[in-house]
Amino acid sequence: MAFNGRDDAQCPTCGSLERHRQQWLWLDRSGWLARLASARVLDLAPHRAFGPALERVAGSYDSGDLLPGKARRVVDICAMSDDADASFDFIACTHVLEHVPDDGRALRELYRVLAPGGAALLSVPLRGETTDEDLTCDEAERLRRFGQADHVRRYGFDFFDRLAAAGFTPNPVDLRDLTTPEERAQYGLTTHLPWMDANAKELWVLPIGQKPA
């Protein structure tokens, strides 16, 4: 199904978008999918397709969202006072941080609650080398600059510097290293936004933050 002008972007059966299928392929081929069977998983702002899939394979599964009714509990990722240090082995936080004014504080909290040896899937929209950020502009300007009225920035590849500043070991995974062209066509990963060409690394790089064991 088409989604936001992208043909074949959304699965008509489960509702997943390209990024969710990319993320699942990474879980499988990185070995993390098998590890999740005994892992404590936190899913932030769970997606209606990706969240239930994570829950099915996780040893224990919890979910949180800033808005009531969107997940199992209300969680402010800038102040996760209900969660002790090292509470989770795996955290999924996809397309959340671009909405958060103090993303540095949020990343430090995610690092705090992640157990040593754990990983955080920290997918954000990426474009170019340098982050464009403005906490003061109005919704119209946010839409123009960041692509969505409730975004406060458009991340560049210096996002990985922000991960490192929070303590993470950044791991930029290029999905082209894990898949063949035939598989990318099979899973509907060949569509792209109008400003991207088929080889644009923004389309393929998945940000992972790891916590040293």
Side-chain angles (χ1 to χ4, degrees):
M1 295 173 55
F3 183 87
N4 277 359
R6 308 191 308 275
D7 292 336
D8 299 325
Q10 187 170 40
C11 175
T13 301
C14 71
S16 68
L17 299 173
E18 304 101 323
R19 65 176 180 265
H20 304 116
R21 298 189 291 275
Q22 288 178 329
Q23 291 160 9
W24 200 261
L25 283 168
W26 170 77
L27 283 170
D28 183 31
R29 294 176 185 190
S30 67
W32 262 103
L33 190 59
R35 294 177 63 181
L36 291 184
S38 58
R40 300 163 295 170
V41 173
L42 176 62
D43 189 9
L44 295 165
H47 182 266
R48 66 184 180 93
F50 195 71
L54 271 182
E55 186 174 10
R56 285 193 295 269
V57 300
S60 66
Y61 175 86
D62 194 9
S63 63
D65 196 287
L66 187 61
L67 299 177
K70 297 287 188 178
R72 290 188 174 184
R73 59 189 175 101
V74 173
V75 173
D76 179 352
I77 65 171
C78 290
M80 301 174 68
S81 56
D82 292 337
D83 297 305
D85 295 358
S87 293
F88 302 100
D89 304 300
F90 183 84
I91 297 173
C93 180
T94 69
H95 283 233
V96 172
L97 291 164
E98 64 272 17
H99 300 264
V100 179
D102 193 348
D103 64 337
R105 184 176 178 184
L107 286 168
R108 290 190 296 273
E109 277 291 84
L110 294 175
Y111 185 83
R112 179 184 66 80
V113 303
L114 186 64
L121 173 59
L122 301 168
S123 180
V124 295
L126 287 170
R127 183 176 180 181
E129 295 301 321
T130 306
T131 296
D132 180 17
E133 179 176 53
D134 190 339
L135 305 183
T136 65
C137 60
D138 61 19
E139 290 188 355
E141 180 66 3
R142 289 179 179 181
L143 180 63
R144 185 187 72 81
R145 286 172 60 183
F146 310 140
Q148 198 163 306
D150 57 351
H151 289 185
V152 297
R153 65 183 64 82
R154 187 193 294 276
Y155 284 108
F157 276 77
D158 56 357
F159 176 63
F160 294 101
D161 297 331
R162 299 189 185 210
L163 298 189
F168 289 104
T169 300
N171 182 14
V173 176
D174 192 321
L175 269 295
R176 290 170 296 187
D177 296 335
L178 301 180
T179 57
T180 66
E182 292 76 18
E183 288 172 327
R184 295 195 286 274
Q186 176 185 353
Y187 292 110
L189 305 181
T190 56
T191 57
H192 54 277
L193 298 173
W195 47 266
M196 293 180 176
D197 64 49
N199 295 313
K201 63 180 179 179
E202 292 94 334
L203 178 65
W204 299 108
V205 172
L206 187 64
I208 310 296
Q210 296 173 309
K211 189 168 185 176

